[in-house]
Amino acid sequence: VQLVESGGGLVQPGGSLRLSCAASGFTFRRYTMNWYRQAPGKERELVASISSAGSTTYYADSVKGRFTMSRDNAENTVYLQMNSLKSEDTAMYYCKAVGISGMTYWGKGTLVTVSA
């Protein structure tokens, strides 16, 4: 099983980034997918979630209206489009898969730094 995040980097405030999470080794289309983030010195927090079919999404209040999560079940990939980035969005971003049975998988993360 692998979850591999990519797309992080350094961006100026107000800029955009698109994160990707490529999955392999499990039946991706049956799993709810989540993006979490963890800033230095802070706890890991849920940023966004998408149902297995992609019909339902959830966003933390802090990112609502700025971030959009989507998935492509044919490509076993989930995305996080991040717009209007702020310095407080700086964090390591992680992808998490959750199955109906409760089985969970985590990626190793991709770093997003928002700074002028």
Side-chain angles (χ1 to χ4, degrees):
V1 172
Q2 274 196 317
L3 290 172
V4 180
E5 301 94 336
S6 61
L10 174 63
V11 62
Q12 292 185 342
S16 298
L17 282 175
R18 189 193 196 204
L19 305 184
S20 299
C21 173
S24 61
F26 63 100
T27 309
F28 178 78
R29 67 183 184 276
R30 294 180 180 174
Y31 281 67
T32 295
M33 297 300 296
N34 306 279
W35 283 101
Y36 282 75
R37 68 185 181 187
Q38 187 167 20
K42 294 188 177 182
E43 294 187 354
R44 193 172 295 190
E45 62 173 351
L46 177 64
V47 174
S49 181
I50 190 165
S51 60
S52 56
S55 55
T56 304
T57 52
Y58 160 85
Y59 299 96
D61 287 343
S62 58
V63 306
K64 202 171 292 183
R66 300 188 298 121
F67 289 11
T68 302
M69 187 173 184
S70 61
R71 67 189 294 161
D72 185 338
N73 284 349
E75 296 293 330
N76 287 358
T77 302
V78 67
Y79 305 96
L80 186 67
Q81 178 67 43
M82 306 187 296
N83 299 329
S84 302
L85 283 162
K86 306 175 182 179
S87 57
E88 51 262 46
D89 296 318
T90 294
M92 186 71 81
Y93 283 72
Y94 299 91
C95 179
K96 177 185 177 183
V98 182
I100 295 175
S101 63
M103 183 72 72
T104 62
Y105 305 114
W106 285 92
K108 294 184 178 180
T110 186
L111 181 62
V112 172
T113 304
V114 184
S115 175

